[in-house]
Amino acid sequence: MTHAPSLHSRAQRVLAGETIAAARLIRDVDDRREAARADLRELFPHVGKAHIIGVTGSPGVGKSSLVDALITEWRARGKTVAVVAVDPSSPFTGGAILGDRIRMQTHSLDPGVFIRSVASRGFLGGLSPSIDEIVLVFDAMGFDVILVETVGVGQGEVDIIRSSHTTLVVLSPNSGDDVQGLKAGLLEVADIFVVNKADLPGADRTRTMLKRMVNLGQGALRDPGWAIPTRSTSTTQGTPEERGIAALVDACVEHRDHLRGGPGLAERNASRLRSYVLRLAGEGLAGRLEKALLAHPDLAELERGETDPYAVANALIGTVTHEDL
Ligand SMILES: Nc1nc2c(ncn2[C@@H]2O[C@H](COP(=O)(O)OP(=O)(O)O)[C@@H](O)[C@H]2O)c(=O)[nH]1
Ligand SMILES: [Mg+2]
């Protein structure tokens, strides 16, 4: 039988589970190519099944190692898993850190696992703006679990973390994340605390301090109806019980069930949609503003000092908001 891809849109091939089509779409998404837009629109009605889990924490605490271990555990439970890892990459090369790709290659022959690293584009601790679109592609492909690994700093990143269903905030005993000095922001985004490197000295102390902090939550908690659990893990040493990976997956499942049993799931999905729309609208407007400014008659006046930036900005907004996005 001959292959007739022209009969099918790329989106349809992605929906049919063709990983090559998915990989190309994700590349176009990451390069912010216009071609991706039609595919994403076609995929949109097919999302909503996945459990989206953010894994965040300082560099070196063991997020990638943990993601690797979580993939193995979820696969053992018969779930398919997709991962998007944001690497704090050099703004000069824009490339993702090779180590993550190599480490996760253990899963590269497993069709139930799909892993992509994207560069963070160099804005401070920043998040590639394409993350939510890559999550959309994974979700439409039907993956049961989607893990998003990010370094937990920067506003753009916090927005994405907020729109995960479940956020794991990962610490390690020696990561310099003094728990008492832990940013209040982390308490606001955490659904589950993970003390990784439990094999190292000081892990128990970190865990105790985290628990105390959760108990003193003082209204900063993301979800007052959910008691944030703290789990200890080791990706390198110990018996399966000591490594704690199964217990961590159990906690993720409990949290998902908690969200499903109340308004939490709908709220988080709505929050993700809002930030998605805002980003799209913002990008669309920014492009138009830039174009309109270059052609704007007031620009010459501004350069001659005959008007001021505020007046031109107002006039410019007036110009572009009369156009459709
Ligand atoms: N002792 C110990 N080292 C770990 C553990 N998990 C990860 N590491 C090490 O910590 C370093 C950073 O791990 P990585 O997963 O890249 O951290 P990330 O930057 O948070 O993604 C690596 O050298 C890992 O081998 C653990 O459970 N125990
Ligand atoms: Mg990593």
Side-chain angles (χ1 to χ4, degrees), residues 53-67 70 148-152 161 167-173 175-177 179 182 186 189-198 206 210 229-235 248:
I53 301 177
V55 180
T56 193
S58 303
V61 295
K63 297 178 297 299
S64 298
S65 312
L66 203 56
V67 162
L70 288 171
V148 183
E149 179 190 332
T150 60
V151 175
I161 293 166
T167 298
L168 312 183
V169 172
V170 187
L171 296 100
S172 67
S175 61
D177 281 325
V179 175
L182 197 67
L186 280 185
V189 298
D191 297 304
I192 298 169
F193 277 119
V194 182
V195 179
N196 188 45
K197 308 196 186 183
T206 304
L210 271 175
T230 300
R231 293 283 175 269
S232 298
T233 56
S234 173
T235 67
L248 178 56

